[in-house]
Amino acid sequence: MPSNSRQPQALQTVLSEWPLWGISGTRTPEIITQFRQGRSNDSYLLKIDTEHYVLRMRRVNHGQTQNTRYENLIQHGAAQLGLAPRVVYQSPNLGYRLCSYARGTTLAHNTWLDAQDLSHLCNSIMQYQQLTVALPDFSYTQLLEQYWQHAQSAINTGQKAELTARYTKLHKACIEYEKCSGGVRSLCHHDLNAHNIVRCEPTSTTGPVFMLLDWEFAGNGIASMDFAALSVELHISIDTLAPIVNISNCELATAADIYRLMCELYNIASSV
């Protein structure tokens, strides 16, 4: 990392507030590294005395539509289950937050996932999906519409016709998906890409422990959407997942198609 004199002013301002974080350390925060560039956040690994923390600073982003007021509440519940890092400090204006550091290997760096690991990961997801958090229902149809609207100015002529046809088809499928599967709602992470799944070393013989990062898109959604995300992001076949999570192939396949298009539109909108 560059020296303090070369750090962005916003970062210097945040670091100067460290006495407010309620940490018992006596040394000022040391920046160890900056994590991969996110589209809505800048994240840094900090060290204060002997402890490590993750600082995440929010950036304005056209694709970001979720209400972040609920994120702290959701992550706190997941952390109590041992499935998310502990929130150490949340700035009053929601501009940045400090969390404990999840030690382990993200699936982005360890792509090997055997049948036992996959079963443990799915069980972890089903565990947090049982949490009861007072949240409004998540509308995938509305989100798809918003991403489509935000993406319009960045869709090039060559992909316009094909993307419009896919959007029209999947918009109808999304309405039907929410009508048929949305009667029962569950807490969903909604961003289960490989970078957000940490495989921690097991503390017992029960198997690996998985911890989930970045809960900013989490909400009261449909359980199959998180497993559809696993299928898309980790390249796991629907036929493999369906019997593990006890959800039909048809529902998972529909959710996967919707998720894939939402991600594509989000990426396009974020490039604006």
Side-chain angles (χ1 to χ4, degrees), residues 41-64:
N41 300 283
D42 291 311
S43 298
Y44 303 87
L45 177 63
L46 305 184
K47 183 178 181 182
I48 302 178
D49 286 350
T50 60
E51 296 296 320
H52 290 80
Y53 304 89
V54 174
L55 170 67
R56 196 179 70 188
M57 300 170 57
R58 187 167 300 284
R59 283 192 265 123
V60 176
N61 182 268
H62 293 294
Q64 177 66 38

PDB file of all heavy atoms in Angstrom, residues 41-64:
ATOM      1  N   ASN A  41     -17.836  -1.245  -3.118  1.00  0.00           N
ATOM      2  CA  ASN A  41     -17.062  -1.035  -1.908  1.00  0.00           C
ATOM      3  C   ASN A  41     -15.564  -1.093  -2.201  1.00  0.00           C
ATOM      4  O   ASN A  41     -15.122  -1.752  -3.142  1.00  0.00           O
ATOM      5  CB  ASN A  41     -17.378  -2.113  -0.856  1.00  0.00           C
ATOM      6  CG  ASN A  41     -18.825  -2.118  -0.446  1.00  0.00           C
ATOM      7  OD1 ASN A  41     -19.267  -1.280   0.314  1.00  0.00           O
ATOM      8  ND2 ASN A  41     -19.590  -3.078  -0.969  1.00  0.00           N
ATOM      9  N   ASP A  42     -14.796  -0.404  -1.357  1.00  0.00           N
ATOM     10  CA  ASP A  42     -13.350  -0.584  -1.293  1.00  0.00           C
ATOM     11  C   ASP A  42     -13.057  -1.263   0.033  1.00  0.00           C
ATOM     12  O   ASP A  42     -13.515  -0.792   1.087  1.00  0.00           O
ATOM     13  CB  ASP A  42     -12.616   0.759  -1.360  1.00  0.00           C
ATOM     14  CG  ASP A  42     -12.731   1.407  -2.729  1.00  0.00           C
ATOM     15  OD1 ASP A  42     -12.488   0.712  -3.715  1.00  0.00           O
ATOM     16  OD2 ASP A  42     -13.066   2.608  -2.783  1.00  0.00           O
ATOM     17  N   SER A  43     -12.313  -2.362   0.012  1.00  0.00           N
ATOM     18  CA  SER A  43     -12.078  -3.145   1.228  1.00  0.00           C
ATOM     19  C   SER A  43     -10.578  -3.278   1.504  1.00  0.00           C
ATOM     20  O   SER A  43      -9.783  -3.476   0.578  1.00  0.00           O
ATOM     21  CB  SER A  43     -12.699  -4.541   1.099  1.00  0.00           C
ATOM     22  OG  SER A  43     -14.101  -4.446   0.948  1.00  0.00           O
ATOM     23  N   TYR A  44     -10.242  -3.189   2.793  1.00  0.00           N
ATOM     24  CA  TYR A  44      -8.844  -3.237   3.213  1.00  0.00           C
ATOM     25  C   TYR A  44      -8.699  -4.181   4.407  1.00  0.00           C
ATOM     26  O   TYR A  44      -9.580  -4.248   5.280  1.00  0.00           O
ATOM     27  CB  TYR A  44      -8.363  -1.851   3.636  1.00  0.00           C
ATOM     28  CG  TYR A  44      -8.503  -0.791   2.574  1.00  0.00           C
ATOM     29  CD1 TYR A  44      -9.688  -0.065   2.431  1.00  0.00           C
ATOM     30  CD2 TYR A  44      -7.458  -0.513   1.707  1.00  0.00           C
ATOM     31  CE1 TYR A  44      -9.821   0.903   1.456  1.00  0.00           C
ATOM     32  CE2 TYR A  44      -7.580   0.469   0.715  1.00  0.00           C
ATOM     33  CZ  TYR A  44      -8.768   1.167   0.603  1.00  0.00           C
ATOM     34  OH  TYR A  44      -8.907   2.129  -0.371  1.00  0.00           O
ATOM     35  N   LEU A  45      -7.568  -4.868   4.445  1.00  0.00           N
ATOM     36  CA  LEU A  45      -7.209  -5.667   5.609  1.00  0.00           C
ATOM     37  C   LEU A  45      -6.358  -4.797   6.520  1.00  0.00           C
ATOM     38  O   LEU A  45      -5.311  -4.292   6.104  1.00  0.00           O
ATOM     39  CB  LEU A  45      -6.434  -6.923   5.192  1.00  0.00           C
ATOM     40  CG  LEU A  45      -5.926  -7.816   6.342  1.00  0.00           C
ATOM     41  CD1 LEU A  45      -7.093  -8.377   7.144  1.00  0.00           C
ATOM     42  CD2 LEU A  45      -5.049  -8.935   5.802  1.00  0.00           C
ATOM     43  N   LEU A  46      -6.827  -4.614   7.757  1.00  0.00           N
ATOM     44  CA  LEU A  46      -6.129  -3.790   8.726  1.00  0.00           C
ATOM     45  C   LEU A  46      -5.563  -4.652   9.843  1.00  0.00           C
ATOM     46  O   LEU A  46      -6.104  -5.707  10.169  1.00  0.00           O
ATOM     47  CB  LEU A  46      -7.073  -2.754   9.357  1.00  0.00           C
ATOM     48  CG  LEU A  46      -7.857  -1.817   8.450  1.00  0.00           C
ATOM     49  CD1 LEU A  46      -8.636  -0.817   9.300  1.00  0.00           C
ATOM     50  CD2 LEU A  46      -6.943  -1.094   7.476  1.00  0.00           C
ATOM     51  N   LYS A  47      -4.502  -4.156  10.458  1.00  0.00           N
ATOM     52  CA  LYS A  47      -3.946  -4.787  11.648  1.00  0.00           C
ATOM     53  C   LYS A  47      -3.850  -3.740  12.747  1.00  0.00           C
ATOM     54  O   LYS A  47      -3.314  -2.652  12.525  1.00  0.00           O
ATOM     55  CB  LYS A  47      -2.558  -5.372  11.362  1.00  0.00           C
ATOM     56  CG  LYS A  47      -1.954  -6.119  12.549  1.00  0.00           C
ATOM     57  CD  LYS A  47      -0.592  -6.709  12.177  1.00  0.00           C
ATOM     58  CE  LYS A  47       0.003  -7.469  13.363  1.00  0.00           C
ATOM     59  NZ  LYS A  47       1.357  -8.009  13.024  1.00  0.00           N
ATOM     60  N   ILE A  48      -4.420  -4.043  13.895  1.00  0.00           N
ATOM     61  CA  ILE A  48      -4.324  -3.174  15.062  1.00  0.00           C
ATOM     62  C   ILE A  48      -3.738  -4.019  16.183  1.00  0.00           C
ATOM     63  O   ILE A  48      -4.376  -4.976  16.639  1.00  0.00           O
ATOM     64  CB  ILE A  48      -5.691  -2.597  15.470  1.00  0.00           C
ATOM     65  CG1 ILE A  48      -6.306  -1.819  14.299  1.00  0.00           C
ATOM     66  CG2 ILE A  48      -5.565  -1.699  16.690  1.00  0.00           C
ATOM     67  CD1 ILE A  48      -7.688  -1.259  14.584  1.00  0.00           C
ATOM     68  N   ASP A  49      -2.541  -3.676  16.610  1.00  0.00           N
ATOM     69  CA  ASP A  49      -1.773  -4.523  17.513  1.00  0.00           C
ATOM     70  C   ASP A  49      -1.605  -5.897  16.866  1.00  0.00           C
ATOM     71  O   ASP A  49      -1.060  -5.994  15.794  1.00  0.00           O
ATOM     72  CB  ASP A  49      -2.428  -4.589  18.896  1.00  0.00           C
ATOM     73  CG  ASP A  49      -2.233  -3.293  19.680  1.00  0.00           C
ATOM     74  OD1 ASP A  49      -1.453  -2.434  19.230  1.00  0.00           O
ATOM     75  OD2 ASP A  49      -2.854  -3.137  20.737  1.00  0.00           O
ATOM     76  N   THR A  50      -2.144  -6.953  17.454  1.00  0.00           N
ATOM     77  CA  THR A  50      -1.972  -8.295  16.892  1.00  0.00           C
ATOM     78  C   THR A  50      -3.222  -8.805  16.182  1.00  0.00           C
ATOM     79  O   THR A  50      -3.205  -9.904  15.626  1.00  0.00           O
ATOM     80  CB  THR A  50      -1.604  -9.295  18.002  1.00  0.00           C
ATOM     81  OG1 THR A  50      -2.653  -9.329  18.989  1.00  0.00           O
ATOM     82  CG2 THR A  50      -0.291  -8.896  18.676  1.00  0.00           C
ATOM     83  N   GLU A  51      -4.297  -8.013  16.183  1.00  0.00           N
ATOM     84  CA  GLU A  51      -5.558  -8.459  15.601  1.00  0.00           C
ATOM     85  C   GLU A  51      -5.749  -7.902  14.190  1.00  0.00           C
ATOM     86  O   GLU A  51      -5.283  -6.808  13.869  1.00  0.00           O
ATOM     87  CB  GLU A  51      -6.733  -8.035  16.480  1.00  0.00           C
ATOM     88  CG  GLU A  51      -6.744  -8.677  17.866  1.00  0.00           C
ATOM     89  CD  GLU A  51      -6.906 -10.188  17.787  1.00  0.00           C
ATOM     90  OE1 GLU A  51      -7.693 -10.659  16.940  1.00  0.00           O
ATOM     91  OE2 GLU A  51      -6.237 -10.885  18.566  1.00  0.00           O
ATOM     92  N   HIS A  52      -6.460  -8.679  13.354  1.00  0.00           N
ATOM     93  CA  HIS A  52      -6.746  -8.258  11.993  1.00  0.00           C
ATOM     94  C   HIS A  52      -8.241  -7.981  11.824  1.00  0.00           C
ATOM     95  O   HIS A  52      -9.088  -8.666  12.425  1.00  0.00           O
ATOM     96  CB  HIS A  52      -6.317  -9.337  10.993  1.00  0.00           C
ATOM     97  CG  HIS A  52      -4.831  -9.481  10.874  1.00  0.00           C
ATOM     98  ND1 HIS A  52      -4.083 -10.188  11.791  1.00  0.00           N
ATOM     99  CD2 HIS A  52      -3.959  -9.003   9.944  1.00  0.00           C
ATOM    100  CE1 HIS A  52      -2.811 -10.144  11.436  1.00  0.00           C
ATOM    101  NE2 HIS A  52      -2.708  -9.446  10.322  1.00  0.00           N
ATOM    102  N   TYR A  53      -8.544  -6.996  11.001  1.00  0.00           N
ATOM    103  CA  TYR A  53      -9.916  -6.589  10.741  1.00  0.00           C
ATOM    104  C   TYR A  53     -10.067  -6.258   9.253  1.00  0.00           C
ATOM    105  O   TYR A  53      -9.087  -5.992   8.567  1.00  0.00           O
ATOM    106  CB  TYR A  53     -10.294  -5.352  11.568  1.00  0.00           C
ATOM    107  CG  TYR A  53     -10.098  -5.524  13.056  1.00  0.00           C
ATOM    108  CD1 TYR A  53      -8.874  -5.219  13.652  1.00  0.00           C
ATOM    109  CD2 TYR A  53     -11.132  -5.985  13.859  1.00  0.00           C
ATOM    110  CE1 TYR A  53      -8.687  -5.379  15.012  1.00  0.00           C
ATOM    111  CE2 TYR A  53     -10.957  -6.145  15.231  1.00  0.00           C
ATOM    112  CZ  TYR A  53      -9.734  -5.842  15.799  1.00  0.00           C
ATOM    113  OH  TYR A  53      -9.552  -6.014  17.145  1.00  0.00           O
ATOM    114  N   VAL A  54     -11.310  -6.243   8.794  1.00  0.00           N
ATOM    115  CA  VAL A  54     -11.593  -5.851   7.415  1.00  0.00           C
ATOM    116  C   VAL A  54     -12.399  -4.557   7.439  1.00  0.00           C
ATOM    117  O   VAL A  54     -13.462  -4.491   8.060  1.00  0.00           O
ATOM    118  CB  VAL A  54     -12.377  -6.941   6.657  1.00  0.00           C
ATOM    119  CG1 VAL A  54     -12.786  -6.436   5.270  1.00  0.00           C
ATOM    120  CG2 VAL A  54     -11.523  -8.204   6.528  1.00  0.00           C
ATOM    121  N   LEU A  55     -11.863  -3.538   6.785  1.00  0.00           N
ATOM    122  CA  LEU A  55     -12.538  -2.249   6.642  1.00  0.00           C
ATOM    123  C   LEU A  55     -13.167  -2.193   5.260  1.00  0.00           C
ATOM    124  O   LEU A  55     -12.492  -2.429   4.255  1.00  0.00           O
ATOM    125  CB  LEU A  55     -11.537  -1.103   6.803  1.00  0.00           C
ATOM    126  CG  LEU A  55     -12.052   0.301   6.449  1.00  0.00           C
ATOM    127  CD1 LEU A  55     -13.116   0.752   7.440  1.00  0.00           C
ATOM    128  CD2 LEU A  55     -10.892   1.294   6.397  1.00  0.00           C
ATOM    129  N   ARG A  56     -14.449  -1.891   5.222  1.00  0.00           N
ATOM    130  CA  ARG A  56     -15.134  -1.795   3.932  1.00  0.00           C
ATOM    131  C   ARG A  56     -15.785  -0.429   3.811  1.00  0.00           C
ATOM    132  O   ARG A  56     -16.592  -0.043   4.654  1.00  0.00           O
ATOM    133  CB  ARG A  56     -16.190  -2.893   3.786  1.00  0.00           C
ATOM    134  CG  ARG A  56     -16.658  -3.076   2.346  1.00  0.00           C
ATOM    135  CD  ARG A  56     -17.666  -4.173   2.221  1.00  0.00           C
ATOM    136  NE  ARG A  56     -18.924  -3.789   2.822  1.00  0.00           N
ATOM    137  CZ  ARG A  56     -19.948  -4.616   2.993  1.00  0.00           C
ATOM    138  NH1 ARG A  56     -19.835  -5.880   2.636  1.00  0.00           N
ATOM    139  NH2 ARG A  56     -21.066  -4.194   3.538  1.00  0.00           N
ATOM    140  N   MET A  57     -15.405   0.301   2.787  1.00  0.00           N
ATOM    141  CA  MET A  57     -15.915   1.645   2.546  1.00  0.00           C
ATOM    142  C   MET A  57     -16.822   1.638   1.321  1.00  0.00           C
ATOM    143  O   MET A  57     -16.440   1.147   0.260  1.00  0.00           O
ATOM    144  CB  MET A  57     -14.746   2.618   2.331  1.00  0.00           C
ATOM    145  CG  MET A  57     -13.791   2.704   3.505  1.00  0.00           C
ATOM    146  SD  MET A  57     -12.279   3.638   3.125  1.00  0.00           S
ATOM    147  CE  MET A  57     -12.981   5.208   2.591  1.00  0.00           C
ATOM    148  N   ARG A  58     -18.001   2.184   1.481  1.00  0.00           N
ATOM    149  CA  ARG A  58     -18.990   2.143   0.400  1.00  0.00           C
ATOM    150  C   ARG A  58     -18.703   3.207  -0.652  1.00  0.00           C
ATOM    151  O   ARG A  58     -18.292   4.315  -0.349  1.00  0.00           O
ATOM    152  CB  ARG A  58     -20.396   2.353   0.978  1.00  0.00           C
ATOM    153  CG  ARG A  58     -21.510   2.160  -0.048  1.00  0.00           C
ATOM    154  CD  ARG A  58     -22.849   2.078   0.654  1.00  0.00           C
ATOM    155  NE  ARG A  58     -22.901   0.966   1.582  1.00  0.00           N
ATOM    156  CZ  ARG A  58     -23.053  -0.303   1.237  1.00  0.00           C
ATOM    157  NH1 ARG A  58     -23.163  -0.628  -0.037  1.00  0.00           N
ATOM    158  NH2 ARG A  58     -23.105  -1.241   2.156  1.00  0.00           N
ATOM    159  N   ARG A  59     -18.925   2.817  -1.911  1.00  0.00           N
ATOM    160  CA  ARG A  59     -18.825   3.745  -3.023  1.00  0.00           C
ATOM    161  C   ARG A  59     -20.180   3.885  -3.687  1.00  0.00           C
ATOM    162  O   ARG A  59     -20.983   2.961  -3.673  1.00  0.00           O
ATOM    163  CB  ARG A  59     -17.828   3.235  -4.077  1.00  0.00           C
ATOM    164  CG  ARG A  59     -16.390   3.424  -3.690  1.00  0.00           C
ATOM    165  CD  ARG A  59     -15.491   3.160  -4.893  1.00  0.00           C
ATOM    166  NE  ARG A  59     -15.002   1.785  -4.901  1.00  0.00           N
ATOM    167  CZ  ARG A  59     -15.179   0.923  -5.888  1.00  0.00           C
ATOM    168  NH1 ARG A  59     -15.883   1.260  -6.942  1.00  0.00           N
ATOM    169  NH2 ARG A  59     -14.686  -0.291  -5.821  1.00  0.00           N
ATOM    170  N   VAL A  60     -20.445   5.044  -4.288  1.00  0.00           N
ATOM    171  CA  VAL A  60     -21.679   5.235  -5.051  1.00  0.00           C
ATOM    172  C   VAL A  60     -21.614   4.371  -6.290  1.00  0.00           C
ATOM    173  O   VAL A  60     -20.592   4.310  -6.959  1.00  0.00           O
ATOM    174  CB  VAL A  60     -21.855   6.714  -5.453  1.00  0.00           C
ATOM    175  CG1 VAL A  60     -23.086   6.880  -6.335  1.00  0.00           C
ATOM    176  CG2 VAL A  60     -21.970   7.585  -4.213  1.00  0.00           C
ATOM    177  N   ASN A  61     -22.721   3.685  -6.590  1.00  0.00           N
ATOM    178  CA  ASN A  61     -22.708   2.776  -7.743  1.00  0.00           C
ATOM    179  C   ASN A  61     -24.092   2.704  -8.357  1.00  0.00           C
ATOM    180  O   ASN A  61     -25.083   2.565  -7.649  1.00  0.00           O
ATOM    181  CB  ASN A  61     -22.249   1.388  -7.282  1.00  0.00           C
ATOM    182  CG  ASN A  61     -22.167   0.399  -8.422  1.00  0.00           C
ATOM    183  OD1 ASN A  61     -23.116  -0.303  -8.686  1.00  0.00           O
ATOM    184  ND2 ASN A  61     -21.028   0.351  -9.079  1.00  0.00           N
ATOM    185  N   HIS A  62     -24.164   2.782  -9.668  1.00  0.00           N
ATOM    186  CA  HIS A  62     -25.468   2.771 -10.338  1.00  0.00           C
ATOM    187  C   HIS A  62     -26.197   1.440 -10.163  1.00  0.00           C
ATOM    188  O   HIS A  62     -27.426   1.398 -10.176  1.00  0.00           O
ATOM    189  CB  HIS A  62     -25.285   3.056 -11.833  1.00  0.00           C
ATOM    190  CG  HIS A  62     -24.813   4.439 -12.121  1.00  0.00           C
ATOM    191  ND1 HIS A  62     -25.578   5.552 -11.873  1.00  0.00           N
ATOM    192  CD2 HIS A  62     -23.634   4.901 -12.625  1.00  0.00           C
ATOM    193  CE1 HIS A  62     -24.916   6.640 -12.230  1.00  0.00           C
ATOM    194  NE2 HIS A  62     -23.728   6.278 -12.685  1.00  0.00           N
ATOM    195  N   GLY A  63     -25.459   0.348 -10.036  1.00  0.00           N
ATOM    196  CA  GLY A  63     -26.096  -0.949  -9.926  1.00  0.00           C
ATOM    197  C   GLY A  63     -26.551  -1.280  -8.513  1.00  0.00           C
ATOM    198  O   GLY A  63     -27.268  -2.238  -8.301  1.00  0.00           O
ATOM    199  N   GLN A  64     -26.106  -0.489  -7.525  1.00  0.00           N
ATOM    200  CA  GLN A  64     -26.442  -0.786  -6.139  1.00  0.00           C
ATOM    201  C   GLN A  64     -27.834  -0.262  -5.824  1.00  0.00           C
ATOM    202  O   GLN A  64     -28.100   0.929  -5.899  1.00  0.00           O
ATOM    203  CB  GLN A  64     -25.412  -0.115  -5.207  1.00  0.00           C
ATOM    204  CG  GLN A  64     -25.712  -0.291  -3.732  1.00  0.00           C
ATOM    205  CD  GLN A  64     -25.607  -1.728  -3.285  1.00  0.00           C
ATOM    206  OE1 GLN A  64     -24.732  -2.446  -3.731  1.00  0.00           O
ATOM    207  NE2 GLN A  64     -26.488  -2.139  -2.415  1.00  0.00           N
TER     208      GLN A  64
END
